[in-house]
Amino acid sequence: EDKVVQSPLSLVVHEGDTVTLNCSYEVTNFRSLLWYKQEKKAPTFLFMLTSSGIEKKSGRLSSILDKKELFSILNITATQTGDSAVYLCAVEARREGQNFVFGPGTRLSVLP
Amino acid sequence: DTGVSQNPRHKITKRGQNVTFRCDPISEHNRLYWYRQTLGQGPEFLTYFQNEAQLEKSRLLSDRFSAERPKGSFSTLEIQRTEQGDSAMYLCASSFVPREPQETQYFGPGTRLLVL
């Protein structure tokens, strides 16, 4: 059965700290891995990763994929209170139907 | 606003009543997904459409749930004889395939359902 595991499930840090969120997966016919940020509403898209070892960056956020070890990390540097959210990892499988499997998310709280 | 929209945003109903939610995807998107999300969990897949065809339904989708996308544009999700366990956020997402080699879903704001 396909599954996506995220760790930690929750994390509390102070502004300015750097955090690393983890996502590991077991999916048949992997196609891509996506990170979403979810605040008090629907998830918003952050990154899509398809190739190992290529870092994607957007401001203070960056992410990388390891297809050999089947995991991805999401880094946030110099955290701000506005980074407080649930960060979801989803894996896309190359098949019809239930293409996307989501992890439970990591709830990040950034304290001032 | 050219994003995915959902209506209503909130719905409170009594157990046993029927409810219907609507999703309007991004206009050129041909795929539309419905998910359910409960507190502390990631979204769970319910069903998806390719244009107007409903191609897969999760086993989570009991016979009280039905979804339609009659003209390949907006979609409706109906829950009949609601139960308290149906209380959740119902998310709609859309994507365009095969424009991108890999698919990215864009989510609507969700409809939060509370069954009393």
Side-chain angles (χ1 to χ4, degrees):
Chain A
E1 182 180 340
D2 296 338
K3 65 178 180 181
V4 177
V5 177
Q6 291 187 246
S7 64
L9 293 182
S10 67
L11 186 58
V12 180
V13 300
H14 287 92
E15 272 191 317
D17 289 349
T18 293
V19 298
T20 298
L21 310 183
N22 303 289
C23 174
S24 62
Y25 61 91
E26 293 179 23
V27 172
T28 306
N29 296 322
F30 172 89
R31 192 167 189 176
S32 67
L33 184 145
L34 299 93
W35 284 97
Y36 291 87
K37 178 182 181 182
Q38 185 172 24
E39 297 168 272
K40 292 182 181 178
K41 52 187 188 298
T44 54
F45 173 73
L46 294 176
F47 297 112
M48 180 170 69
L49 304 162
T50 57
S51 301
S52 277
I54 299 175
E55 184 182 52
K56 291 212 171 180
K57 286 180 69 72
S58 176
R60 296 176 293 102
L61 277 66
S62 63
S63 185
I64 196 162
L65 174 67
D66 185 328
K67 290 168 71 173
K68 181 179 178 183
E69 300 297 330
L70 308 183
F71 78 91
S72 173
I73 59 173
L74 175 69
N75 279 320
I76 309 175
T77 59
T79 51
Q80 302 171 357
T81 55
D83 296 327
S84 296
V86 174
Y87 290 84
L88 294 168
C89 173
V91 176
E92 180 192 9
R94 187 182 293 113
R95 64 170 181 268
E96 294 304 315
Q98 189 175 341
N99 300 20
F100 291 86
V101 180
F102 281 82
T106 293
R107 180 173 295 280
L108 174 66
S109 299
V110 181
L111 304 178
Chain B
D1 186 355
T2 57
V4 178
S5 62
Q6 292 185 245
N7 288 288
R9 296 291 303 277
H10 304 274
K11 179 71 177 178
I12 301 174
T13 191
K14 292 184 178 179
R15 188 176 53 189
Q17 298 294 306
N18 299 343
V19 295
T20 300
F21 309 142
R22 177 178 169 128
C23 172
D24 287 88
I26 294 171
S27 61
E28 67 269 24
H29 283 188
N30 54 4
R31 280 199 179 175
L32 187 149
Y33 294 79
W34 284 100
Y35 293 89
R36 180 174 66 189
Q37 187 175 24
T38 52
L39 200 61
Q41 302 296 319
E44 296 175 292
F45 170 81
L46 293 179
T47 188
Y48 94 105
F49 294 83
Q50 175 85 16
N51 299 311
E52 66 274 9
Q54 186 174 16
L55 297 188
E56 183 162 327
K57 293 170 62 173
S58 163
R59 62 182 182 275
L60 293 174
L61 214 65
S62 76
D63 56 7
R64 296 184 297 105
F65 287 71
S66 61
E68 295 182 343
R69 195 183 183 197
K71 298 180 181 178
S73 56
F74 73 91
S75 175
T76 57
L77 177 69
E78 181 182 16
I79 309 174
Q80 295 181 322
R81 305 181 303 281
T82 51
E83 301 173 356
Q84 288 182 317
D86 297 332
S87 297
M89 174 77 88
Y90 289 83
L91 294 168
C92 174
S94 71
S95 65
F96 184 76
V97 179
R99 175 184 291 171
E100 299 165 358
Q102 281 81 27
E103 186 180 352
T104 300
Q105 297 187 4
Y106 297 87
F107 284 83
T111 295
R112 186 171 293 283
L113 173 67
L114 177 61
V115 181
L116 302 177

